[in-house]
Amino acid sequence: MAQSFDVVVIGAGPGGYVAAIRAAQLGFKVAVVEREFLGGVCLNVGCIPSKAMITAAHWLHKAQHDFPTMGFNIKSGIDVDFKKLLAWKNSVCDKMSGGVSQLLKGNQITILKGEAQFKNTKEISVVGTGLNETVTGKFFVIATGSRPIEIPGFKFDEKDIMSSTGALALDHAPKRVVVIGGGYIGLEISSYLKKFGTEVTVVEAQTQLLAGVVDPECAQVVTKKLEKSGVKILYGAKAKSQKKSGSTYEVTVEISGKDEVLKADKVLVTVGRRPNSDQANLKAAGIQIDERGFIKVDAQRRTNISHIFAIGDICGQPMLAHKASYEGVLVAEVMKGHNRAYDVKTVPAVVFTDPEIASAGWTEAEAKAKGHTELKIGKFPFAANGRAVSMQDTDGFVKMIADAKTNVLLGVHIVGPEASNLISEAALAIEMGARIEDVALTIHPHPTLGETMMEAAEATLGHAIHIIQRPLNRATKSAHP
């Protein structure tokens, strides 16, 4: 006999479990189908474990390089127990996943552990260990996410040829790693592996790192620090093949028409992610998919089948956890009859490299492409911020972009310490349609990194206090070239 629910959510990642909770709060009878682990990729093999490892590597680096300057001398050096580190990282993930389980159960949501397959627009089958049944629903939410892209000749075994999943499960720091792809995932993992002593070579097809992903000036700061740390970066390079010779991998890379062989103990492939739209038998429900593999949705995240919704990575860029969570709340409220639509001005994004990069709104090029031909652009460096100096963490800056005629804030780009924690103020300002003066005239507490937001706004207006600045003679001229 089939189980029947008001709302059936397929996938318990940061989109799915949030949709389920809000739907339950609104009075729906809800089920969540999850084939692997609660919290999805993000909490288990993505965002959370990578940030745990990045934090650990950051502290190690501080102890090795900054502590002596402060007078702390660790005479015998630091012995890294990588297996214990891995266990700690796993405990962080387990706490987060366990928290999701408690939230779902606390909201009386039925958890079905198994693989979902659409039978038609009203029914799915769920098959798992000791479970094989039909589930019907008035509404369905597809939140099945994405997976790493494989490239020819580099099939994942997650031990030697790895995606981010395998890299985050390493129980030791490899001697040499070749990283194929200089996007944010590859660079985040490269950064922390280098701090643990791994020799890292990044193979990047473009002429710069993070091309088209972040503000170019922000990318330059990270690139310089990576190179200074000893990470080797090959630009305009294409990975062609690999072969194993003993315990060593030989990776053939083409650069300017010539082949070069790189030797490594592990190979990490981070060239992007693809939506899981080839799963769950979406065809049986007649759900439309675009040429890139994303499910087609409208502003309410409805598919072409009015009672079936899709959220998160499966329905398009940006493929970010917080965007999925936002959509999860949205669709639950739409199902309840609320007048909601996806109409955000910005989805902030963070790259957890060293230093961090965070952005909200448009880059200079994007603003001009949108018709804002006259801009005010200002920057304020962390080197002029007292809190950053006291933290011995002064690389980078806050950059603001505004319309020259209206002073409305169009974009904020931060590279530097705690950029991830600073960007939310920018996202709120852009969402509210704030002007530069709104940020500049807001008193920020001292001494904090947050003061750089206020000072960057002042710099964009042409009169920052804590840097020597030439007046803004022309609207399109940067206040701090």
Side-chain angles (χ1 to χ4, degrees), residues 299-367:
Q300 292 190 318
R301 293 315 185 237
R302 290 184 195 269
T303 68
N304 57 301
I305 310 299
S306 62
H307 65 278
I308 302 178
F309 297 77
I311 61 174
D313 289 5
I314 196 78
C315 71
Q317 299 285 358
M319 297 166 80
L320 298 170
H322 44 282
K323 174 251 195 184
S325 296
Y326 180 93
E327 291 172 325
V329 172
L330 185 151
V331 298
E333 295 182 354
V334 168
M335 288 185 290
K336 192 64 176 178
H338 295 187
N339 185 22
R340 288 289 308 273
Y342 187 85
D343 62 350
V344 300
K345 289 184 180 178
T346 183
V347 179
V350 180
V351 183
F352 289 88
T353 45
D354 181 15
E356 294 178 352
I357 300 175
S359 62
W362 298 327
T363 62
E364 182 178 351
E366 288 169 338

Side-chain angles (χ1 to χ4, degrees), residues 170-201:
L170 288 169
D171 62 359
H172 67 288
K175 184 179 178 182
R176 297 168 300 181
V177 170
V178 168
V179 179
I180 301 171
Y184 71 95
I185 296 174
L187 295 187
E188 286 181 358
I189 295 174
S190 295
S191 295
Y192 80 70
L193 284 178
K194 182 61 184 175
K195 288 175 181 175
F196 285 126
T198 299
E199 182 184 308
V200 179
T201 301

Side-chain angles (χ1 to χ4, degrees), residues 29 52 56 62 64 70 134 296 311 316 389 402 414 433 449:
K29 181 185 178 183
K62 282 279 187 186
Q64 292 171 331
M70 295 176 172
T134 297
K296 293 182 180 180
I311 61 174
V389 173
I414 308 172
L449 296 174

